[in-house]
Amino acid sequence: MKLIVILFLLFSFNLKSQTISYNNCDSVDRIQKFYVEYSDGSTYKWDLNNGSILSQDNNRVTVLFPDTNTNFVLSVVEFNQHGCQGDVRKIIIESKPCELIWIPSAFTPNDDNLNDAFKIVGKVDPKDFVLEIFNKWGERIFVSNDPNYGWDGTYKGRMVQDDLYVYKVICKINSRYFIKYGSVTLLK
């Protein structure tokens, strides 16, 4: 019996036991589909030690892992057309914590050394980082490829007016790319 896992990409395992990992970042990542190659006349019994089996159709199962950082064991047993049990196949699924970023909604570039720059807070890969700021006309007024260097509220050397600005962040966290758009208020 070959166990096939759909987890971000399609992985095929011909095994009795295997360990895989996923990032516990959002509910979409926590819903996964698994299936085994179907043998004529066989039936399959699925079990998940923690989490929920959302649907099961003989050799296919859809599971929801809880929003926790723990390990799960998904197992499947094949029964042939005579009801005899075959091998038990297990996958150990490691849930890795999602390294989140925090993006402020406002900042005050008034030289009081408190919240004087708009920058992204969190563990991001500095090789894969872009922060862009746009004014209300869509003109890009700031760009940085350094997660430690934020926008100080200036454009072409002059302080901009109090207003709402649009940001775009592209970053890599735990080997996954994120693109986030939002707005930030500049208050002096």
Side-chain angles (χ1 to χ4, degrees):
M1 173 172 56
K2 184 188 252 186
L3 182 60
I4 299 177
V5 179
I6 301 170
L7 187 66
F8 306 118
L9 300 171
L10 182 65
F11 296 99
S12 174
F13 299 102
N14 193 3
L15 45 79
K16 291 196 182 205
S17 182
Q18 175 72 26
T19 301
I20 59 174
S21 299
Y22 79 100
N23 290 324
N24 186 11
C25 292
D26 59 47
S27 60
V28 173
D29 293 341
R30 295 181 343 190
I31 298 174
Q32 299 298 330
K33 296 181 180 192
F34 301 85
Y35 67 95
V36 292
E37 286 184 350
Y38 180 75
S39 297
D40 284 339
S42 292
T43 57
Y44 301 87
K45 182 178 182 322
W46 294 88
D47 184 55
L48 181 63
N49 74 322
N50 193 356
S52 302
I53 293 179
L54 299 178
S55 67
Q56 182 175 342
D57 182 21
N58 202 18
N59 68 321
R60 298 175 185 276
V61 67
T62 302
V63 298
L64 171 65
F65 301 115
D67 187 14
T68 59
N69 295 321
T70 187
N71 291 347
F72 309 96
V73 178
L74 177 67
S75 59
V76 61
V77 179
E78 179 180 5
F79 295 90
N80 68 17
Q81 64 270 20
H82 305 293
C84 296
Q85 180 177 325
D87 291 334
V88 175
R89 308 292 177 163
K90 292 183 181 181
I91 294 182
I92 299 168
I93 298 117
E94 295 176 340
S95 171
K96 293 190 174 187
C98 184
E99 295 289 341
L100 298 178
I101 59 173
W102 181 74
I103 303 173
S105 59
F107 74 111
T108 56
N110 56 9
D111 293 324
D112 67 354
N113 292 324
L114 298 171
N115 204 24
D116 283 332
F118 173 75
K119 63 182 179 179
I120 309 310
V121 178
K123 276 183 144 180
V124 298
D125 188 338
K127 292 180 270 177
D128 295 297
F129 177 84
V130 179
L131 169 63
E132 296 176 296
I133 306 292
F134 302 88
N135 63 19
K136 60 185 165 189
W137 296 283
E139 179 183 14
R140 186 171 76 176
I141 60 173
F142 176 81
V143 65
S144 173
N145 295 103
D146 183 351
N148 298 311
Y149 179 69
W151 181 43
D152 64 1
T154 61
Y155 177 55
K156 294 184 179 178
R158 299 187 67 195
M159 183 60 67
V160 299
Q161 66 185 20
D162 286 10
D163 209 342
L164 189 67
Y165 294 86
V166 173
Y167 65 79
K168 176 182 178 183
V169 177
I170 302 171
C171 62
K172 190 175 183 180
I173 302 170
N174 287 338
S175 303
R176 286 188 56 204
Y177 281 95
F178 290 91
I179 300 175
K180 172 93 172 148
Y181 295 89
S183 61
V184 60
T185 303
L186 183 145
L187 300 167
K188 291 183 255 181

